[in-house]
Amino acid sequence: MGSVSIRALRPDEKDLLLRATVENLNWQTERFTSKDILASPYAVYYTELLPNRGDFGFVALHEDDPVGVGWGLFLPASNPGWGFVDREIPEISLWVSDSYRRQGIGRALIHALQHGARMRDYPGLSLSVEPGNPARQLYLDEGFVDVSEDATHPVMLWRRA
């Protein structure tokens, strides 16, 4: 991983979360712009970290530049995210810049999120990963299991041991 450090994500880092959300949704091909995300009631909430509802996250930095981010959100059952399991489990998102992938940064961010969930006494973490996304193997390796068979947005869950 070299000179990459990890620190807590701040609520004011909306631009980073917007970049990460756009790139996550465009993992295979360009489908969405920042404007699309901000206009979508189903995607805009991935760009906001609200610690007062229990949200938390971490940023991976290389020489003070963000190269990855992992964050967990508590979205309501009335307006759930694609990876919603229940109101007690935050849905996580994970993004690593293309040029920093396959260096252990995503794994380090997942470990930070898992540790954060344990420290906050959350029962687990959930996520949605599209079919064919190579990140799926990373999630399986880190203890996530399939909990839905939604063909468009399969949901995976990690439970705290």
Side-chain angles (χ1 to χ4, degrees):
M1 216 171 15
S3 62
V4 174
S5 61
I6 295 181
R7 66 154 170 82
L9 175 66
R10 298 185 312 262
D12 66 344
E13 294 182 283
K14 290 183 177 192
D15 288 344
L16 175 60
L17 295 183
L18 178 59
R19 175 183 175 196
T21 301
V22 168
E23 291 189 23
N24 278 349
L25 292 175
N26 292 332
W27 69 273
Q28 191 171 28
T29 185
E30 188 170 333
R31 301 178 288 179
F32 304 97
T33 65
S34 295
K35 186 176 178 179
D36 295 331
I37 300 303
L38 293 172
S40 168
Y42 304 106
V44 69
Y45 46 60
Y46 289 102
T47 67
E48 292 187 320
L49 185 82
L50 302 175
N52 62 336
R53 69 177 178 195
D55 298 355
F56 69 107
F58 301 93
V59 179
L61 300 166
H62 178 259
E63 298 178 2
D64 296 326
D65 292 324
V67 297
V69 61
W71 68 109
L73 306 177
F74 281 96
L75 302 174
S78 60
N79 191 20
W82 290 297
F84 182 84
V85 171
D86 72 42
R87 62 184 181 85
E88 301 296 319
I89 295 177
E91 177 185 349
I92 66 166
S93 295
L94 182 72
W95 166 81
V96 176
S97 177
D98 284 343
S99 58
Y100 287 86
R101 291 186 181 155
R102 293 172 190 55
Q103 298 179 35
I105 295 169
R107 191 173 309 278
L109 287 166
I110 289 174
H111 291 173
L113 289 165
Q114 290 170 328
H115 179 73
R118 285 185 194 100
M119 297 304 295
R120 291 167 175 81
D121 204 27
Y122 297 157
L125 301 170
S126 68
L127 59 86
S128 176
V129 60
E130 291 181 77
N133 188 323
R136 177 177 162 70
Q137 188 58 53
L138 172 63
Y139 303 134
L140 289 168
D141 291 348
E142 293 305 324
F144 285 81
V145 297
D146 293 313
V147 293
S148 86
E149 296 183 18
D150 180 324
T152 308
H153 300 288
V155 177
M156 300 181 83
L157 176 66
W158 169 82
R159 287 235 180 244
R160 189 182 76 218

